[in-house]
Amino acid sequence: MQQKDFVPRPEDELVPWGDNLTTKLPTHQAALEISNTSITRLQTEYGAMKDAIIAVESAKRTLQSLVQTKNDAVSTFTKDVRNEAAIAKRRTGYTRAIGEDLGLEPPESSLDPTTITSAKPVFFSTHLPDAIRLDWIKGMFDGVVIERKRGNETTFSVIGRDMKSPFDDTDKNLVSDVPEIRIYRIRYILNDQLVGQWSDEIRVMANIS
């Protein structure tokens, strides 16, 4: 039977564990016959580890705050634009040409059969503390279907349909605290049908516990 590792894996447990070890180790120096050099080295390494963990946690909180600020700004702007566009389209002076010039109307030629057949989505990934966020470009389509494979999986599986970017994959890792490769691809939806080509695949090293 494999012996359980005495070093805790979760970093939120590792810091207090290391603090206890490096603080109390000098008390048992004589009994353990451990040198001053070894104690100093362990204390220095612990300090570096603790500072690094704290820095990463701080960066995560900053990233979460920045992402939320960005999402709020995007939501506020796009909602206001939609409201103003809806009002503008009811004005007697509004024409489709004006709408196309302002980007409020899809060009009539943009969804011809050739365009639909060749359409290939573009998307980007961001590793958040609790999700893999996929930001995708909607264009003139209704939405996208998202497929993923991870770990030892050899085939893609549908994990969602999204009508408004971004899409968050919040599934936890198959094995807690063990990073895993996730591969994503997306394809456009139009009138509830899959259309166009699959996107290029994006490979992400995920660690969501």
Side-chain angles (χ1 to χ4, degrees):
M1 181 176 179
Q2 186 176 5
Q3 185 177 3
K4 184 177 180 180
D5 190 0
F6 61 85
V7 177
R9 293 180 63 88
E11 291 179 354
D12 59 346
E13 297 179 12
L14 186 57
V15 169
W17 179 87
D19 186 64
N20 177 75
L21 172 70
T22 55
T23 299
K24 294 181 179 179
L25 193 55
T27 305
H28 304 288
Q29 181 177 9
L32 300 177
E33 298 181 18
I34 187 169
S35 68
N36 289 329
T37 300
S38 294
I39 291 177
T40 300
R41 184 183 70 253
L42 291 173
Q43 290 174 335
T44 301
E45 291 172 350
Y46 166 71
M49 179 197 73
K50 181 179 179 180
D51 289 345
I53 290 175
I54 291 174
V56 168
E57 291 302 317
S58 178
K60 286 181 180 179
R61 289 192 294 271
T62 299
L63 176 59
Q64 284 179 304
S65 177
L66 290 173
V67 169
Q68 187 60 55
T69 299
K70 182 268 293 183
N71 289 344
D72 291 343
V74 169
S75 177
T76 297
F77 173 70
T78 55
K79 181 180 180 180
D80 203 22
V81 166
R82 291 181 190 279
N83 289 338
E84 292 297 332
I87 294 172
K89 290 179 179 180
R90 294 197 293 268
R91 303 302 188 196
T92 56
Y94 180 85
T95 65
R96 184 177 181 87
I98 292 175
E100 289 181 355
D101 190 43
L102 294 174
L104 304 180
E105 296 279 357
E108 291 185 342
S109 62
S110 65
L111 289 181
D112 61 65
T114 301
T115 300
I116 294 174
T117 301
S118 61
K120 186 176 182 179
V122 175
F123 70 113
F124 311 91
S125 66
T126 303
H127 197 315
L128 304 178
D130 57 352
I132 303 298
R133 171 158 293 173
L134 305 178
D135 288 278
W136 50 275
I137 298 176
K138 187 172 186 178
M140 304 304 172
F141 297 89
D142 297 331
V144 294
V145 63
I146 302 98
E147 290 193 345
R148 180 196 70 199
K149 60 182 177 181
R150 59 175 173 165
N152 295 323
E153 295 172 352
T154 58
T155 58
F156 282 98
S157 300
V158 175
I159 61 170
R161 292 165 69 95
D162 197 33
M163 300 299 132
K164 182 179 179 182
S165 181
F167 174 85
D168 287 348
D169 177 10
T170 58
D171 288 345
K172 297 184 184 303
N173 282 26
L174 295 171
V175 180
S176 180
D177 293 322
V178 177
E180 66 184 24
I181 294 293
R182 299 187 184 186
I183 302 174
Y184 298 94
R185 67 178 185 178
I186 67 174
R187 191 175 174 186
Y188 280 128
I189 298 171
L190 181 64
N191 298 325
D192 289 329
Q193 300 294 321
L194 288 178
V195 296
Q197 309 297 314
W198 284 104
S199 68
D200 292 335
E201 297 174 4
I202 286 183
R203 181 183 295 261
V204 178
M205 180 67 76
N207 192 4
I208 303 173
S209 301

